[in-house]
Amino acid sequence: MPVPTYLPDIPRQRLPREAYVSESWLELENRDLFGKSWTFAGVTTDFPNAGDFRTVQAGNQSLIVVRDGEGQLHSHHNICRHRGTELLEGCGNVGKTIVCPYHNWVYNLDGALRGVPAQRECFPDLDKNKSALFGASVGVFRDLVFVHPDPTPDQSFEDWLGGLDQVPWPHDLTSSEMRENPDDVVYEIKCNWKVFFENAIDGYHLAYLHKETLGGPRHDKNLWETFGRHMIWWSTEREGVKHRIPQFVENSAKGSGLKAVNNAVEPGYGGVYMIFPATIVTPNPWGFSISTMQPVDANTMRLRVRNWSPKGWFTYTHRAADIPGYDAETGLIKSSKWTQHPLETGDFQTEDVWVCEKMQRAMQSPRFETGHLAKGAGGEAAIDFFQQVVLEYLSTSETNSTAGDLHRGRSS
């Protein structure tokens, strides 16, 4: 099905229950959605020096991003061309070459095969020119680095951005003003990744679930707008102004001592950028965060959050251990470690985790179904849009025969 270009007037649920609980459905998403779209891999400051690398998972494909000696970023599949061994783990610096830990095959940072131990004796007919690392694509937007498993994607990175580059963006992560919080903040959430995504774009729940933490805004005082496959959220509580934060949050921050980011005080930029398929960018007057969703299985996901703010007390005092549910043994944030009810924590993210896990538990019932969705760009129309984009990637004949009718779902 073609990608939609606007939010629907009368939204409806398009994905069946199986899309949220079925492992076979997730397998198709890993192959046909995550494996065929652009995935967030890091920020340019993660690669300051030649040899700096990060690995990233795009569905069931592991990719490497590495900076070479000329300052250029490259992306390769994390697979040795000899026996297919995974080459690198995590992040770090490889120096001038990538060396397979199994048999010491050596690759240049641009992916070219450089050396093979005992090549003359063991591989007399090997053509090194045909044994370079499998290539992937890399693109940079506002210092955010994205990768695509295909070296020649059907859609260029520029086209995929869908106009995001035309939206004001005052935060400069390369500025000496900004400091990244040193903690690795990772939530383990007992829900399907799409449940969490759909919660994040549900404008209807803001005034109810988050009435004590975000204070709304109501469905008629916030809106989502589409940019290609992506969406941006604004508060419209101030007459004639699209704002990046709810009025309640702005009022609550007064007198808090939070240090503002240069050039980010005035409105004009969005408050939430949902970059399809699984990245949430949240800029605000006092900082910047990037959250990425990674499916673990059909009923579990991990949310990794990176935060930046101006150098000050907030950068070093807002630690992972302060977040409700922090598990010191694993370093993960889990609902099983909550010591008080989520609605008593004063933390909107905890509220979201709580309700998403409640949704996932309800979906285990074969009687589960979705009724009407709230109309409007500040209601639940964005959920319909998101589901249409998911179906765009999965609407192949093979998918239909494997996962059932993709257009089956409960709509009223």
Side-chain angles (χ1 to χ4, degrees):
M1 61 184 298
V3 62
T5 57
Y6 56 86
L7 298 182
D9 293 331
I10 303 178
R12 64 184 179 89
Q13 178 73 21
R14 295 176 182 271
L15 294 176
R17 168 184 167 274
E18 288 74 20
Y20 304 91
V21 299
S22 165
E23 294 297 338
S24 62
W25 193 289
L26 179 59
E27 289 177 10
L28 293 168
E29 289 176 339
N30 279 330
R31 187 191 68 193
D32 295 337
L33 193 162
F34 292 107
K36 296 181 180 178
S37 56
W38 291 87
T39 296
F40 175 72
V43 296
T44 54
T45 51
D46 293 330
F47 312 92
N49 304 307
D52 286 341
F53 77 91
R54 293 179 75 88
T55 60
V56 59
Q57 199 70 23
N60 52 16
Q61 302 184 63
S62 177
L63 306 177
I64 298 167
V65 180
V66 62
R67 190 178 294 280
D68 69 15
E70 305 300 319
Q72 184 176 351
L73 288 174
H74 298 273
S75 183
H76 316 292
H77 285 260
N78 193 14
I79 296 174
C80 180
R81 292 300 307 278
H82 173 215
R83 295 275 298 281
T85 306
E86 179 185 79
L87 294 165
L88 301 175
E89 299 176 11
C91 59
N93 188 286
V94 293
K96 296 182 179 181
T97 58
I98 299 171
V99 181
C100 179
Y102 201 176
H103 301 97
N104 273 35
W105 282 39
V106 181
Y107 301 89
N108 291 330
L109 301 183
D110 64 3
L113 179 59
R114 177 173 178 170
V116 174
Q119 179 182 346
R120 185 172 300 175
E121 299 91 335
C122 297
F123 306 95
D125 300 321
L126 177 67
D127 185 347
K128 289 183 182 177
N129 294 326
K130 295 181 180 180
S131 298
L133 296 179
F134 292 120
S137 299
V138 62
V140 178
F141 162 65
R142 309 281 189 172
D143 296 310
L144 310 186
V145 180
F146 293 84
V147 291
H148 194 295
D150 194 327
T152 56
D154 291 339
Q155 186 177 41
S156 70
F157 182 69
E158 291 71 23
D159 290 342
W160 174 81
L161 286 175
L164 287 179
D165 51 340
Q166 303 303 312
V167 180
W169 190 284
H171 296 72
D172 180 4
L173 299 185
T174 66
S175 168
S176 59
E177 173 193 20
M178 301 292 281
R179 292 288 190 277
E180 183 173 5
N181 189 296
D183 280 8
D184 195 24
V185 178
V186 184
Y187 293 78
E188 186 168 270
I189 308 174
K190 299 173 185 175
C191 74
N192 185 273
W193 73 276
K194 296 186 295 301
V195 169
F196 193 87
F197 193 108
E198 290 177 5
N199 172 77
I201 57 176
D202 178 345
Y204 183 48
H205 84 291
L206 298 177
Y208 311 108
L209 177 63
H210 301 310
K211 59 181 179 292
E212 302 296 334
T213 51
L214 298 178
R218 284 174 49 86
H219 68 279
D220 57 343
K221 295 298 182 181
N222 77 94
L223 67 86
W224 286 94
E225 293 184 340
T226 63
F227 294 79
R229 295 168 173 80
H230 321 295
M231 288 180 276
I232 299 179
W233 178 91
W234 280 275
S235 160
T236 56
E237 297 164 286
R238 295 85 160 170
E239 190 66 32
V241 177
K242 292 195 302 185
H243 222 272
R244 67 276 191 252
I245 51 173
Q247 183 73 67
F248 179 90
V249 174
E250 184 176 45
N251 293 340
S252 299
K254 293 178 180 178
S256 66
L258 289 173
K259 188 175 181 180
V261 178
N262 289 332
N263 303 318
V265 175
E266 296 302 320
Y269 57 96
V272 182
Y273 295 66
M274 300 298 292
I275 302 179
F276 188 85
T279 302
I280 308 174
V281 175
T282 312
N284 62 67
W286 314 285
F288 189 94
S289 73
I290 303 173
S291 303
T292 51
M293 290 165 268
Q294 180 70 49
V296 175
D297 55 43
N299 296 279
T300 314
M301 60 162 282
R302 286 190 176 177
L303 181 75
R304 184 177 301 274
V305 185
R306 300 176 65 177
N307 294 291
W308 288 260
S309 59
K311 185 178 180 180
W313 67 268
F314 187 78
T315 308
Y316 300 101
T317 58
H318 191 65
R319 310 304 296 267
D322 300 327
I323 299 173
Y326 178 75
D327 180 7
E329 183 176 347
T330 64
L332 299 173
I333 299 163
K334 306 176 181 179
S335 61
S336 61
K337 296 295 181 178
W338 287 337
T339 58
Q340 62 185 138
H341 193 282
L343 296 183
E344 297 174 350
T345 63
D347 183 83
F348 78 90
Q349 187 85 290
T350 301
E351 294 170 341
D352 281 332
V353 172
W354 176 64
V355 82
C356 286
E357 292 193 349
K358 287 170 70 68
M359 282 286 293
Q360 194 69 30
R361 288 196 296 271
M363 286 177 172
Q364 304 310 309
S365 169
R367 292 298 299 273
F368 176 88
E369 65 176 57
T370 300
H372 294 279
L373 297 186
K375 294 178 60 177
E380 294 173 309
I383 294 175
D384 185 327
F385 175 86
F386 164 69
Q387 293 183 6
Q388 289 187 65
V389 178
V390 170
L391 289 172
E392 175 210 1
Y393 280 88
L394 302 185
S395 58
T396 65
S397 57
E398 182 179 354
T399 301
N400 280 315
S401 63
T402 305
D405 183 7
L406 281 170
H407 302 285
R408 178 168 60 88
R410 301 291 184 179
S411 60
S412 302

